[in-house]
Amino acid sequence: MLSLFKRLSVETRPGKFGPNSRWSNADMDPVPPSLRTWNSWNYIAYWISDATNVATWQLASSMLAVGLSWQQALGAIAAGHIIIAVSIPSFVQTELSVVSRVVLAMFWFGVQTYTGSEAMYQMLKAIWPSLARLPNQLPESANITTSGIMCYFLYWLIQFPFLLFSPQKIRHLFTFKAIVVPCAWIAILIWAMVKAPPRVSLDPIPSSVHGSTAKWLWFGAMNSAIGNYSTLSVNIPDFTRYAKRERSQYVQLLVIPVTFTLFGFVGIAVTSAGEILYGDVLWDPLRLIDRWDNRAAAFFAAFSFALATLGTNISANSLSAANDMTVLFPRYIDIRRGQIICAFIGGWALCPWEILASAPGFLTFMAGYTIFLGPFAAIMVVDYWIIHRGNVNVVAMYDPRGIYRYWNGINWRAAVALLLSVTPNLPGLIHNINVSIPVGNASYLFNIAWLFGFFVAGGVYCILSTLFPATETFMDAPVLSDDFFNENVDEKSSNSDIKEQA
């Protein structure tokens, strides 16, 4: 057994920052300057790519169902993503947040792969219409049809090779997606506006709620927008670490709210037009495509959603899970291995079609799991920007007995902040899973769970860290990874000079 673990260990690319392979490997280390290849245009393409996915489309459309007008829905989406954009944290993460992201990322990887398989079905049906008549050989208890499992396997198989690209190279996929998918979505929007002009499809849809009810619904919608992409607030460092220059990443503050709001409007407008044209509220754009008679248009539209899902699944799920697994098991897992593990566990072991078909309560719980992500983001933001003011020692973060050890590896201030910010939202989460359990007004609090968790955790952590400062972690100036790399360069140059003199 010991020899098996030795063979599985990542020995080819050892880390340079940790004391040994137990604490770091090359993928977990700070990125050396030579491998920082992302510029501002790459980040613009990345976020346009990430905003164009089925979830963004459906999120915007579903807000109309609760009674909001399309203007109110757009305002909620914009406000939510502005909050996400400005809550970009530092790269310092707690182990609990790392474990949480691994679980969430694997779960959503499977769900997104299933969404991609539905797009694959529409593409194949556009080529071979007889696919719609393919006999189902699977029992009803399987919760998936023969054609469904075939399309799922094909999409998973097509997606798999993209998981083997390095983060430096995968940016080209995001650029390609940022060109193709928005063009396709704008074409769908133009089709919808021609078939059902805005004066017919949008203007007659006022808000059906008023007063305090409307306010709570609006805050709930904004919280949904935040929750839908709350992982962004802790995923962003997965990609900003590859920035050529620090200022290259600042463009995200503008591009995140603008792109998500824009494509949210596309979802609202097309769904509203679809209701006029077909008499049904088709929140899922793939079901809208299924109504089309033009097979060529159906194929290319479905292809855009397949591509959209591919890019989002890699950026938001696969790479996130892989990065976190390198933190948990640096001796055995690098980014490539982590993505492969995510592909098999998230794609097959979790059986997403079973989850989607038979466990709506579990889906609700996983969506509500974001009550933890608001506090995580707040603690990281407050710790880096307010408490330490950016003066951190990157090298010391890899030392298990260094200045960031706190008490037996636990920062009790963060633990208390988590306890006080998460606990009040648990009754609302329970009620959201099982509405038969009465929790009184706690359900209202759950509607603003991310905001509540963010501000309570941030406030408590700031107060505790001010009253009981961890003085050993304070520094007058930051010690960054570049200082370490520059020292190595100077040392090599010095050794080279000595050899030449000899």
Side-chain angles (χ1 to χ4, degrees), residues 292-350:
W292 292 358
D293 297 325
N294 189 320
R295 290 163 54 188
F299 175 86
F300 286 109
F303 172 78
S304 75
F305 285 102
L307 178 60
T309 304
L310 171 64
T312 301
N313 218 10
I314 292 174
S315 64
N317 300 319
S318 176
L319 273 173
S320 297
N323 275 300
D324 292 332
M325 281 187 266
T326 65
V327 174
L328 297 173
F329 309 104
R331 180 180 294 180
Y332 302 106
I333 299 177
D334 57 14
I335 288 180
R336 180 171 293 181
R337 286 189 182 184
Q339 288 189 277
I340 293 172
I341 292 171
C342 178
F344 281 95
I345 295 180
W348 294 103
L350 293 182

Side-chain angles (χ1 to χ4, degrees), residues 91-259:
F91 40 78
V92 184
Q93 297 188 26
T94 65
E95 186 167 340
L96 181 58
S97 70
V98 169
V99 173
S100 301
R101 288 205 318 163
V102 170
V103 174
L104 280 171
M106 286 189 176
F107 169 81
W108 288 116
F109 180 90
V111 172
Q112 289 279 1
T113 302
Y114 186 82
T115 299
S117 73
E118 293 181 310
M120 176 64 69
Y121 173 81
Q122 294 298 332
M123 291 168 62
L124 294 179
K125 186 170 75 72
I127 301 173
W128 297 288
S130 59
L131 179 63
R133 300 187 296 274
L134 182 69
N136 180 30
Q137 304 296 330
L138 297 177
E140 186 176 349
S141 59
N143 292 316
I144 192 170
T145 63
T146 300
S147 60
I149 195 67
M150 178 189 71
C151 292
Y152 185 88
F153 175 73
L154 286 175
Y155 188 78
W156 183 91
L157 199 63
I158 292 171
Q159 178 179 246
F160 188 82
F162 290 93
L163 307 182
L164 306 181
F165 286 94
S166 68
Q168 290 88 353
K169 293 181 180 179
I170 201 65
R171 72 186 193 278
H172 300 305
L173 171 64
F174 300 142
T175 302
F176 177 70
K177 176 186 169 183
I179 296 172
V180 173
V181 178
C183 290
W185 284 24
I186 291 172
I188 296 174
L189 176 64
I190 293 172
W191 166 84
M193 295 296 95
V194 170
K195 292 289 186 179
R199 65 178 182 275
V200 176
S201 59
L202 290 178
D203 281 355
I205 307 180
S207 173
S208 61
V209 290
H210 307 280
S212 61
T213 302
K215 293 178 182 178
W216 276 109
L217 279 176
W218 189 88
F219 277 111
M222 182 178 67
N223 190 74
S224 296
I226 296 173
N228 187 49
Y229 269 85
S230 58
T231 50
L232 293 181
S233 60
V234 289
N235 284 356
I236 289 173
D238 290 340
F239 296 94
T240 54
R241 65 198 295 248
Y242 298 105
K244 285 183 179 181
R245 293 174 296 276
E246 184 178 357
R247 64 176 181 270
S248 297
Q249 57 188 292
Y250 293 155
V251 70
Q252 299 174 120
L253 295 173
L254 177 63
V255 74
I256 290 175
V258 169
T259 54

Side-chain angles (χ1 to χ4, degrees), residues 383 386-388 403 406-407 411-413 460-475:
D383 185 82
I386 299 178
I387 302 302
H388 291 99
I403 61 174
Y406 295 101
W407 177 77
N411 184 348
W412 64 268
R413 304 159 193 81
V460 171
Y461 184 75
C462 185
I463 292 171
L464 292 178
S465 296
T466 303
L467 296 178
F468 308 98
T471 54
E472 70 278 7
T473 66
F474 288 91
M475 307 180 64

